[in-house]
Amino acid sequence: MGGVTKIVLAGAYGHGRSHLENLRGLAARGLVELAGVCDVRPVEADRLHGLGTPEQARPDGLAELIERTGAEITILCTPINTHADLAVTALRAGSHLLLEKPPAASLADFERIAAAVGESGLACQVGFQSLGSAAIPALRKRIASGELGEIRGIGVAGAWERPAEYFTRSTWSGRRRLNGQDMADGALTNPFAHAIATALAVAGAEEHGAIDSVELELFHANPIESDDTSAARIRLVNGQVITVAVTLCSTGRTEPYLIVHGSAGTARLTYTTDDLDGTLHPRANLLENLVAHIRTGEELLVPPARTRAFMEFLEAVRLAPDPLPIADEHQRVHADRRELPGIKELTDLSAARLALFSELDVAWAATRELRVAGTPVASYVWRPDLPVTDAPRPYLHPVRTLTGTEVTEFRPADHAHHLGVSLAVADVGAVNFWGGRTFVRDQGPTWLGDHGRQRHDVFTELEDGFREALTWLGPDGTAVAREERTVLARPAGEAWALDFAFTLVVREPLEIRSSACKGRPGAGYGGFFWRAPRDAANLAVFTGEAEGEQDVHGSRSPWLALVSDAWSLVFVQTGPVDPWFVRVSEYPGVGPALAWDRPLAVADTLTRRVVTVVADGRLDRAAAAKLAGAAP
């Protein structure tokens, strides 16, 4: 082949403008000719200034446009969900391909493109411009030389400002799915896709199988479907870790960057400017490289294989639960945009510490708000910062009545391991998931170092709350059990109801025990547990049949009420009814006891559900019974 390379551009609007500008520069040098333009709408002549009068067609006529014009290369810059079909069309029509990032909206679509490339024998260059930077091999050389010492990880930070109109610029903007198709237009997978691809390149982890696992924290401040503020931790099979923290809700624009952390030093690469620790490096033009590859056999810079690991990351994002909303009280809502105060500093801190948002004491990242008819009624802290002796676990605190009165207490002086509302069990297969000292027969409460923790794994959004997967870990980090938890908040007349259900799945048969099982009379605690405020006035407890702590404690009744002058709590067990563990005089606390006075054997699964009606004011037995009857 020789002479000028004919090009077809599919997608002349949006980012297509950058490709038009690049084509002008290369056309002026006599390297390329824009022979055709393919778009869903006509392209105005002024947009094509300096590029002649290329033929035009709609996307469904791309193959014919390539054939008519004799185009050797198609630049594909269309909505993400159209990449696979149009890429395969172009390749089968005999055209090489410059494919805009992200390559596809799913790993399956990417595989379709890769297969078509292999079948056609044609070239495909993926448009990750940063991967054409000489700064990446320069940084990899420093890493390989040992200059930075042992690499601890790579931290990535990106903070941009995007107006509200950015998320309405097209039908697919800010969407995870559209008309049943994957879109993947989120902060991690589109505007900051270069951040992930660059970090993977620096780590030498670009190809198939390089990623071991992906941990995601996806959020949105804007009223969109996808993420605009997110963090990720990528664990590589070689043992390295990459963390990413990005947002589109900052003030102004700062250049995103990555930091390589080594035992002997760090290196910082601003990938948008090719600045490596103050030294600017050249960047190859990917279209020019593709032309040279076709003409002279020059090595292609970004073939699909270099982006396979990125696509595995994108697939993890695609399959993840929908992003969580960030409540308005954590934002500054401007007329034209939304801002998260301090978010730029937070992304910087993430890159410096290799930490996720939830590990940086950020209220909106580690806490979920439950609301009833728009009123916040409870905060769910799912990644708590607690001492190991508390048996760290997700908890609800504060929980409030509809008028705002708090009905939980957190880490009180008398029992620091009481955490509002939580699922706490004294002994699960000899691991303390309650916190505090462990009761030892003939010895009493003893510090044993046997504390476990409940690790949040993933959320699934539900209309009135969420479903959560957790892993219960022993002191050595071994999984003791897995749990699926459902937490809902819904109206209940003039009150509201907290619906808390869980299914515990054990790895192998084990026993659940309370301190009472080990010889401490009356200490049958363990399971769903609610610690109420100590300072409540005139506390009382009753069931439908009994009244007072002495008579209610250990009783089996479908419901129980704990009331004060300011608030009332009506606990309702659905399904199996366990004995009630009750404290009023020593401290106010209530919970069904899984192992009241004898061990509970769990061979496979254990399921329980408690619905708690939270009401303002003091309820009598008749009113409590009525609410209990309506609660399930």
Side-chain angles (χ1 to χ4, degrees):
M1 297 184 205
V4 176
T5 301
K6 291 185 176 182
I7 308 285
V8 163
L9 172 64
Y13 292 88
H15 187 61
R17 289 175 294 184
S18 298
H19 287 288
L20 288 170
E21 190 61 32
N22 187 37
L23 285 165
R24 287 188 187 93
L26 296 179
R29 293 167 52 194
L31 293 177
V32 303
E33 172 192 342
L34 181 60
V37 178
C38 180
D39 208 293
V40 293
R41 50 181 165 164
V43 182
E44 303 95 337
D46 60 351
R47 185 174 290 268
L48 302 173
H49 176 71
L51 291 168
T53 54
E55 289 194 39
Q56 296 200 28
R58 292 181 60 81
D60 56 6
L62 177 59
E64 292 77 11
L65 181 64
I66 293 170
E67 183 178 355
R68 287 198 310 271
T69 61
E72 296 178 62
I73 295 175
T74 297
I75 301 174
L76 192 55
C77 186
T78 56
I80 305 165
N81 65 317
T82 67
H83 282 191
D85 286 345
L86 291 177
V88 171
T89 296
L91 290 162
R92 288 178 177 171
S95 174
H96 300 280
L97 193 63
L98 175 58
L99 177 62
E100 189 52 69
K101 62 81 192 165
S106 70
L107 187 57
D109 278 352
F110 176 81
E111 297 290 12
R112 282 181 58 207
I113 297 171
V117 171
E119 291 166 4
S120 68
L122 298 168
C124 176
Q125 178 99 287
V126 181
F128 280 111
Q129 300 98 317
S130 63
L131 299 189
S133 174
I136 292 176
L139 179 50
R140 291 190 62 176
K141 184 177 180 180
R142 289 176 61 184
I143 293 171
S145 72
E147 173 188 337
L148 301 177
E150 183 180 352
I151 303 304
R152 294 193 298 110
I154 300 173
V156 181
W160 287 345
E161 174 187 304
R162 288 292 184 268
E165 63 184 20
Y166 174 84
F167 301 102
T168 59
R169 68 192 190 279
S170 66
T171 57
W172 53 269
S173 301
R175 300 295 297 270
R176 281 167 69 81
R177 303 168 198 88
L178 182 64
N179 299 327
Q181 290 186 307
D182 292 307
M183 286 303 310
D185 185 42
L188 284 172
T189 53
N190 195 3
F192 287 105
H194 284 94
I196 289 88
T198 304
L200 290 168
V202 169
E206 298 175 284
E207 299 193 357
H208 174 65
I211 293 177
D212 180 58
S213 65
V214 176
E215 187 176 357
L216 294 164
E217 295 182 356
L218 308 177
F219 301 95
H220 63 86
N222 287 275
I224 59 174
E225 185 178 81
S226 198
D227 62 302
D228 59 32
T229 302
S230 291
R233 177 178 286 121
I234 305 169
R235 298 188 186 277
L236 305 177
V237 294
N238 64 10
Q240 288 191 33
V241 172
I242 298 171
T243 61
V244 184
V246 297
T247 184
L248 301 175
C249 302
S250 188
T251 300
R253 173 187 169 117
T254 53
E255 297 304 323
Y257 62 90
L258 62 85
I259 300 177
V260 179
H261 296 270
S263 59
T266 62
R268 175 169 173 148
L269 170 60
T270 305
Y271 65 84
T272 51
T273 61
D274 309 306
D275 182 336
L276 176 57
D277 286 335
T279 299
L280 298 181
H281 291 260
R283 176 184 291 194
N285 183 304
L286 295 186
L287 178 55
E288 187 173 357
N289 170 249
L290 178 56
V291 171
H293 173 76
I294 296 169
R295 293 283 179 254
T296 69
E298 181 178 309
E299 183 179 359
L300 197 63
L301 286 172
V302 195
R306 279 197 75 183
T307 67
R308 171 61 192 249
F310 168 82
M311 284 304 306
E312 291 176 3
F313 172 82
L314 181 146
E315 186 75 355
V317 176
R318 184 183 76 84
L319 296 175
D322 288 344
L324 302 176
I326 299 174
D328 285 354
E329 52 258 41
H330 299 301
Q331 306 183 39
R332 292 189 186 126
V333 181
H334 303 280
D336 63 339
R337 64 185 179 87
R338 290 175 177 254
E339 174 192 355
L340 292 173
I343 189 63
K344 167 63 170 64
E345 292 74 19
L346 193 62
T347 61
D348 291 337
L349 192 60
S350 169
R353 295 185 181 178
L354 299 175
L356 301 177
F357 286 149
S358 65
E359 297 166 341
L360 296 174
D361 194 25
V362 184
W364 52 261
T367 304
R368 299 218 39 200
E369 296 295 328
L370 293 178
R371 295 172 181 265
V372 173
T375 300
V377 292
S379 296
Y380 185 75
V381 181
W382 51 274
R383 195 189 291 272
D385 181 14
L386 294 169
V388 67
T389 52
D390 281 2
R393 58 197 182 271
Y395 60 85
L396 288 145
H397 177 79
V399 179
R400 302 181 179 89
T401 67
L402 290 177
T403 64
T405 301
E406 288 193 13
V407 292
T408 50
E409 194 162 27
F410 175 72
R411 303 198 80 235
D414 55 77
H415 291 81
H417 50 278
H418 287 184
L419 311 176
V421 180
S422 70
L423 181 54
V425 185
D427 185 326
V428 180
V431 178
N432 181 341
F433 288 100
W434 176 268
R437 292 175 293 177
T438 299
F439 187 84
V440 178
R441 188 181 296 274
D442 300 326
Q443 185 173 330
T446 306
W447 292 108
L448 293 181
D450 59 347
H451 297 90
R453 65 184 179 93
Q454 296 171 17
R455 184 190 70 199
H456 162 85
D457 292 330
V458 69
F459 278 125
T460 301
E461 283 293 295
L462 299 175
E463 183 177 354
D464 299 321
F466 56 86
R467 182 174 293 115
E468 181 185 21
L470 306 100
T471 302
W472 292 39
L473 302 171
D476 60 355
T478 300
V480 176
R482 301 195 183 277
E483 180 198 347
E484 184 173 281
R485 178 178 303 182
T486 302
V487 180
L488 305 173
R490 60 174 188 265
E494 296 182 358
W496 71 276
L498 175 70
D499 192 333
F500 191 109
F502 67 91
T503 296
L504 205 62
V505 181
V506 299
R507 297 186 62 187
E508 54 187 34
L510 52 73
E511 287 188 338
I512 289 177
R513 297 183 294 170
S514 66
S515 295
C517 299
K518 305 173 185 179
R520 185 180 180 186
Y525 53 80
F528 172 88
F529 183 71
W530 191 300
R531 172 61 193 254
R534 171 182 284 279
D535 59 0
N538 298 316
L539 279 169
V541 63
F542 55 83
T543 66
E545 305 80 25
E547 185 164 356
E549 179 179 348
Q550 183 174 347
D551 291 337
V552 170
H553 184 63
S555 67
R556 290 179 183 267
S557 175
W559 67 268
L560 175 150
L562 179 68
V563 302
S564 74
D565 289 346
W567 49 261
S568 297
L569 303 172
V570 182
F571 302 91
V572 184
Q573 296 187 59
T574 68
V577 176
D578 296 311
W580 291 105
F581 174 82
V582 178
R583 289 286 186 265
V584 175
S585 57
E586 181 183 355
Y587 63 82
V590 171
L594 294 174
W596 175 248
D597 56 6
R598 64 188 63 184
L600 173 65
V602 182
D604 185 10
T605 62
L606 172 70
T607 298
R608 292 292 190 273
R609 177 177 172 228
V610 180
V611 179
T612 308
V613 180
V614 181
D616 281 292
R618 190 180 196 91
L619 297 177
D620 60 19
R621 178 176 276 110
K626 184 177 180 180
L627 285 174

